[in-house]
């Protein structure tokens, strides 16, 4: 299974963390510090897999961001590379040529998308189209709720004039 | 102070707070900004105004990601989850998953909301609850809510069925005793056509087999044939833009099916027999040097090596390994070394044929590859080859990296003492 997902910038700033195994807040900070050190110091031509504390960490750099997923020793590293790419492509379609700033200002959306891709550290959906459709449906539920809320407050504002 | 001008009132939008924090030039400045913002959020929380709850929680999550403590916001997650609206629940559950972990007692308070949401009429809310439960539940919550999740495995919408399947995985891992409850609904899902449901159902069945001997025997007996057929149909399916990756239809489903077949074939000659053809097909027909194809071949080789013997297939597997070992891509070489480690127990002679290439890998520029290769050399050492192998390693010791010298010396010593 995937134990956690980590997105870090070249400067070591955390852009997203998702934990599928029990790690306390303290343990999480330690893991992030340690792994960031290991991954950010890897030379560019090396393989995308790092052995770490009895686990394997698969990472791939996209522009200024490192996408990392920690998996079990007997999991398929090559597949996880594809899962990372799957996520990146979905983000790309959603934001329209995604960049780090998108993920900073819309981090919650990046999480919502990840939640349509993985649950309990396992893959949930292999169709990018389906994920996009589900996210769009939920986004529109939020839009509708916002519109209703603002139209109600308009009515109240008019009534109390 | 005018909320528009003050970036630290909860009247400000999330975006503006983020901008202000990013504009800080020193760590001290950032700490001060965060302190101010947390104070404003605390005040807003104390006012208990439902309108800002959503925004406060989003801000708290951002602050949390920067590494600052946000315990005071945990109850806000609960309040959002308990709200009737979808937007609040969405951010509430996200906050729950981010700010809490399963060991915290506060988590138990969500059980009731989860139960209600698992029975909600809005399927997207059911989805939110399944996701949260699947990611973060404790053993106690798993026990409490297992019946709801079991029921949802048969829900009318496939997107809920697939979420329920993954949620079930977490439940049976936390409470293995419950595995038998999920067996029937899980195997029923294997007949579906929806890819999302299939990949999650196959994964659920795989985990059921790991957790329960009865489940393994049941699935092996009842489902092996159908699974082989599903993989066959998949491998032969025509081009589908929705699932195509690098010219292959749904490599993820391919891989999960291969993994389950491995679990079913291991130690059982009949089951292994029934999968020989499809393994041969996947092993020979999967071409292309793309990651997706190689990931499938990797899984295929692993399955061939684990199930009961078919020498023809083993030869095929080793030849795939041979190609991998000479691949220019570091990732493929690394994975090949992994596979060879596993192949060694089954057929050490076959692996020894690649001795020269393996020794080359001990000198690779990539530390991960060097490490793997060294471990492999250690396993390959026997009385006849110990002299030449150790000689090679010692000569490399003179030229290799400082940090690798330690590992290498230790390995040489253990070889000698073997």
């Amino acid at each position: 299974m995937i134990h956690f997902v980590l997105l870090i910038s070249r400067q070591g700033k955390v852009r997203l963390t998702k934990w599928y195994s029990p790690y306390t807040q303290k343990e999480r900070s330690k893991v992030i510090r340690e792994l960031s050190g290991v991954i950010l110091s890897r030379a560019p031509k090396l393989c995308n897999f790092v052995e770490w504390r009895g686990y394997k960490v698969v990472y791939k750099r996209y522009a200024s961001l490192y996408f990392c997923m920690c998996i079990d020793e007997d999991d398929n590293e090559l597949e996880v590379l594809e899962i990372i790419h799957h996520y990146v492509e979905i983000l790309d379609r959603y934001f329209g040529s995604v960049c780090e700033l998108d993920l900073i200002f819309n981090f919650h959306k990046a999480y919502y998308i990840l939640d349509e891709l993985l649950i309990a550290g396992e893959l949930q959906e292999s169709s990018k189209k389906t994920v996009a459709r589900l996210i769009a449906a939920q986004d529109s539920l939020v839009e509708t709720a916002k519109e209703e809320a603002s139209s109600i407050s308009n009515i109240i504002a008019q009534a109390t004039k | 102070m005018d909320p528009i001008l003050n970036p630290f009132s909860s009247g400000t939008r999330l975006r503006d707070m983020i901008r202000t924090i990013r504009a800080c030039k020193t760590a001290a400045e950032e700490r001060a900004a965060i302190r101010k913002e947390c104070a404003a959020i605390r005040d807003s929380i104390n006012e208990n105004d439902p309108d800002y709850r959503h925004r406060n929680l989003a801000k708290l999550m951002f602050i949390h990601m920067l590494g600052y403590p946000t315990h005071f916001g945990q109850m806000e997650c609960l309040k959002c989850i308990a709200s009737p609206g979808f937007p609040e629940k969405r951010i509430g559950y996200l906050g729950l998953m981010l700010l809490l972990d399963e060991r915290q007692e506060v988590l138990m308070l969500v059980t009731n909301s989860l139960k209600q949401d698992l029975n909600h009429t809005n399927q997207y809310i059911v989805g939110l609850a399944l996701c949260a439960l699947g990611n973060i539940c404790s053993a106690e919550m798993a026990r409490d809510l297992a019946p709801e999740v079991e029921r949802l495995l048969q829900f009318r919408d496939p997107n809920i069925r697939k979420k329920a399947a993954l949620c079930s995985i977490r439940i049976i891992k936390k409470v293995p005793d419950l595995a038998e409850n999920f067996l029937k609904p899980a195997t029923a899902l294997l007949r579906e056509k929806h890819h999302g449901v299939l990949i999650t159902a196959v994964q659920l069945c795989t985990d059921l087999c790991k957790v329960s001997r009865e489940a393994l025997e049941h699935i092996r007996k009842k489902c092996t044939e159908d699974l082989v057929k599903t993989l066959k149909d998949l491998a032969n399916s025509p081009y589908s833009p929705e699932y195509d990756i690098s010219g292959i239809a749904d490599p993820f489903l391919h891989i999960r099916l291969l993994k389950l077949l491995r679990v079913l074939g291991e130690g059982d000659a009949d089951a292994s027999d029934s999968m020989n053809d499809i393994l041969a097909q996947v092993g020979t027909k999967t071409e292309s040097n793309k990651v997706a194809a190689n990931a499938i071949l990797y899984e295929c080789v692993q399955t061939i090596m684990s199930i009961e013997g078919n020498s023809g297939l083993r030869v095929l597997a080793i030849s795939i390994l041979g190609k991998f070992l000479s691949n220019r891509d570091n990732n493929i070489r690394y994975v090949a070394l992994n596979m060879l480690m596993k192949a060694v127990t089954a057929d050490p002679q076959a692996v020894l044929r690649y001795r020269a290439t393996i020794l080359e890998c001990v000198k690779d520029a990539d530390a991960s590859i060097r490490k793997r290769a060294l471990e492999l050399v250690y396993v390959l050492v026997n009385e006849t080859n110990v002299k030449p192998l150790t000689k090679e390693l010692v000569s490399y010791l003179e030229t290799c990296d400082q940090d690798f010298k330690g590992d290498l010396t230790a390995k040489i010593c253990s070889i000698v003492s073997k």
Side-chain angles (χ1 to χ4, degrees):
Chain A
M1 67 178 275
I2 294 170
H3 292 283
F4 57 83
V5 178
L6 196 57
L7 259 68
I8 46 176
S9 72
R10 270 218 55 76
Q11 290 78 34
K13 290 260 159 99
V14 174
R15 297 307 178 203
L16 184 149
T17 63
K18 189 83 187 185
W19 308 83
Y20 299 105
S21 283
Y23 286 86
T24 62
Q25 297 300 333
K26 235 182 179 165
E27 286 165 347
R28 293 179 191 189
S29 309
K30 191 154 181 250
V31 165
I32 293 171
R33 257 195 321 270
E34 224 179 276
L35 258 187
S36 304
V38 168
I39 289 178
L40 293 174
S41 58
R42 295 262 301 173
K45 296 273 167 114
L46 303 185
C47 73
N48 296 87
F49 317 124
V50 172
E51 275 144 53
W52 177 81
R53 292 200 195 173
Y55 297 104
K56 287 195 283 213
V57 176
V58 180
Y59 72 95
K60 186 130 194 250
R61 181 173 168 191
Y62 289 86
S64 58
L65 276 178
Y66 286 83
F67 285 69
C68 316
M69 293 193 178
C70 175
I71 54 175
D72 289 314
E73 271 240 293
D74 51 4
D75 280 336
N76 186 331
E77 306 92 313
L78 295 178
E79 190 200 19
V80 176
L81 266 181
E82 276 300 332
I83 293 178
I84 291 177
H85 195 69
H86 195 44
Y87 182 40
V88 171
E89 285 208 314
I90 295 172
L91 286 171
D92 206 40
R93 282 186 209 189
Y94 182 77
F95 288 107
S97 244
V98 68
C99 64
E100 194 180 339
L101 273 182
D102 288 321
L103 301 182
I104 293 170
F105 283 94
N106 294 292
F107 64 93
H108 47 308
K109 303 209 172 150
Y111 276 107
Y112 293 145
I113 291 171
L114 186 61
D115 283 341
E116 287 298 334
L117 196 64
L118 299 173
I119 286 181
E122 299 288 355
L123 187 66
Q124 193 186 154
E125 181 57 67
S126 48
S127 159
K128 298 188 238 295
K129 197 166 129 189
T130 302
V131 173
R133 203 173 22 91
L134 290 169
I135 293 289
Q138 292 174 82
D139 281 350
S140 100
L141 278 182
V142 173
E143 276 314 302
T144 312
K146 264 195 196 151
E147 280 162 23
E148 276 173 13
S150 72
S151 71
I152 288 172
S153 50
N154 277 343
I155 292 172
I156 294 175
Q158 292 287 9
T160 54
K161 254 190 182 157
Chain B
M1 213 171 159
D2 186 340
I4 315 269
L5 292 179
N6 174 13
F8 301 118
S9 98
S10 59
T12 24
R13 302 161 59 94
L14 170 68
R15 181 161 284 265
D16 295 322
M17 182 198 83
I18 295 178
R19 222 171 256 138
T20 308
I21 291 173
R22 280 170 59 78
C24 293
K25 299 206 177 55
T26 65
E29 232 182 284
E30 187 185 273
R31 274 196 303 274
I34 301 285
R35 219 175 302 134
K36 253 184 167 166
E37 185 55 51
C38 286
I41 295 174
R42 266 200 178 94
D43 288 340
S44 178
I45 288 177
N46 290 337
E47 278 165 34
N48 213 7
D49 186 337
D51 290 338
Y52 287 126
R53 219 170 260 155
H54 183 289
R55 181 181 285 174
N56 285 340
L57 201 43
K59 288 178 175 177
L60 276 171
M61 287 194 275
F62 184 82
I63 291 171
H64 175 87
M65 276 205 295
L66 290 175
Y68 297 91
T70 48
H71 310 115
F72 63 93
Q74 286 176 3
M75 289 307 289
E76 287 308 283
C77 296
L78 271 64
K79 286 186 206 159
C80 278
I81 290 170
S83 305
F86 178 79
E88 287 76 19
K89 283 189 192 285
R90 200 185 196 196
I91 199 119
Y93 278 118
L94 186 62
L96 187 79
M97 290 188 280
L98 194 59
L99 304 177
L100 274 76
D101 62 77
E102 69 182 74
R103 293 177 213 171
Q104 287 168 299
E105 276 138 38
V106 177
L107 197 56
M108 285 303 296
L109 299 174
V110 190
T111 311
N112 215 25
S113 291
L114 276 168
K115 194 166 194 180
Q116 283 180 18
D117 287 341
L118 288 172
N119 286 295
H120 208 280
T121 46
N122 181 335
Q123 68 192 55
Y124 294 105
I125 291 180
V126 177
L128 292 176
L130 278 170
C131 178
L133 193 62
N135 287 337
I136 198 179
C137 81
S138 59
E140 243 184 287
M141 291 164 79
R143 238 183 245 285
D144 276 345
L145 298 169
E148 311 297 328
V149 178
E150 211 190 299
R151 181 184 50 84
L152 289 169
L153 286 170
Q154 291 158 4
F155 194 80
R156 64 175 190 282
D157 182 64
N159 294 308
I160 293 300
R161 292 200 295 279
K162 75 189 192 199
K163 288 178 158 69
L166 293 184
C167 190
S168 306
I169 291 178
R170 185 164 178 112
I171 291 177
I172 62 171
K173 280 184 178 172
K174 289 285 166 190
V175 190
D177 291 339
L178 293 174
E180 54 183 40
N181 299 8
F182 290 93
L183 190 51
K184 251 213 177 129
T187 50
L189 292 177
L190 292 177
R191 297 246 164 85
E192 298 217 10
K193 299 291 173 206
H194 186 283
H195 282 230
V197 176
L198 267 177
I199 53 179
T200 55
V202 170
Q203 188 60 54
L204 174 56
C205 289
T206 310
D207 283 304
L208 275 168
C209 290
K210 291 193 182 147
V211 141
S212 153
R213 176 96 225 159
E214 288 85 39
L216 170 58
E217 280 164 13
H218 176 96
I219 296 175
R220 179 185 280 152
K221 198 160 145 214
K222 303 278 174 154
C223 307
T224 307
E225 233 181 279
D226 286 334
L227 287 166
V228 167
K229 176 147 198 310
T230 307
L231 181 54
K232 226 170 232 166
D233 290 341
L234 180 64
N236 295 328
S237 63
Y239 173 74
S240 150
E242 193 172 350
Y243 294 105
D244 183 280
I245 292 182
S246 310
I248 301 174
D250 206 337
F252 300 117
L253 182 53
H254 265 92
I255 289 168
R256 263 159 201 74
L257 284 166
L258 285 166
K259 215 177 244 168
L260 180 51
L261 287 175
R262 171 151 89 250
V263 169
L264 299 177
E266 203 165 348
D268 188 294
D270 288 331
S272 299
D273 241 7
S274 60
M275 42 184 96
N276 284 340
D277 283 346
I278 188 54
L279 288 174
Q281 182 184 333
V282 173
T284 46
K285 296 272 171 62
T286 312
E287 294 271 345
S288 125
N289 209 10
K290 297 285 171 77
V291 178
N294 287 323
I296 292 176
L297 284 172
Y298 181 22
E299 202 67 48
C300 187
V301 167
Q302 292 210 63
T303 299
I304 292 173
M305 291 308 194
S306 304
I307 63 174
E308 297 313 290
N310 172 318
S311 55
L313 276 180
R314 293 265 164 100
V315 167
L316 171 62
I318 302 274
S319 83
I320 295 173
L321 279 176
K323 284 198 210 119
F324 271 33
L325 256 191
S326 4
N327 196 303
R328 302 248 300 253
D329 185 339
N330 285 6
N331 291 336
I332 309 298
R333 285 206 308 285
Y334 175 87
V335 149
L337 289 168
N338 255 354
M339 287 200 273
L340 284 170
M341 274 295 246
K342 300 192 178 138
V344 155
T345 37
D347 196 346
Q349 284 314 308
V351 180
L352 270 166
R353 246 172 263 146
Y354 297 97
R355 192 176 105 190
T357 332
I358 297 169
L359 279 169
E360 276 310 300
C361 290
V362 174
K363 305 174 193 166
D364 201 288
D366 184 330
S368 304
I369 291 182
R370 283 203 301 266
K371 210 162 164 217
R372 281 264 155 233
L374 193 53
E375 277 167 33
L376 190 49
V377 167
Y378 178 71
V379 173
L380 284 174
V381 154
N382 59 38
E383 272 144 14
T384 41
N385 63 27
V386 62
K387 264 212 180 117
L389 274 179
T390 339
K391 195 159 169 232
E392 280 266 10
L393 292 179
V394 168
S395 69
Y396 178 49
L397 191 56
E398 292 162 19
T399 52
C400 78
D401 261 353
Q402 264 310 108
D403 18 309
F404 194 51
K405 272 193 175 138
D407 280 341
L408 189 48
T409 329
K411 256 318 181 285
I412 297 177
C413 293
S414 6
I415 288 178
V416 167
S417 59
K418 214 176 165 189

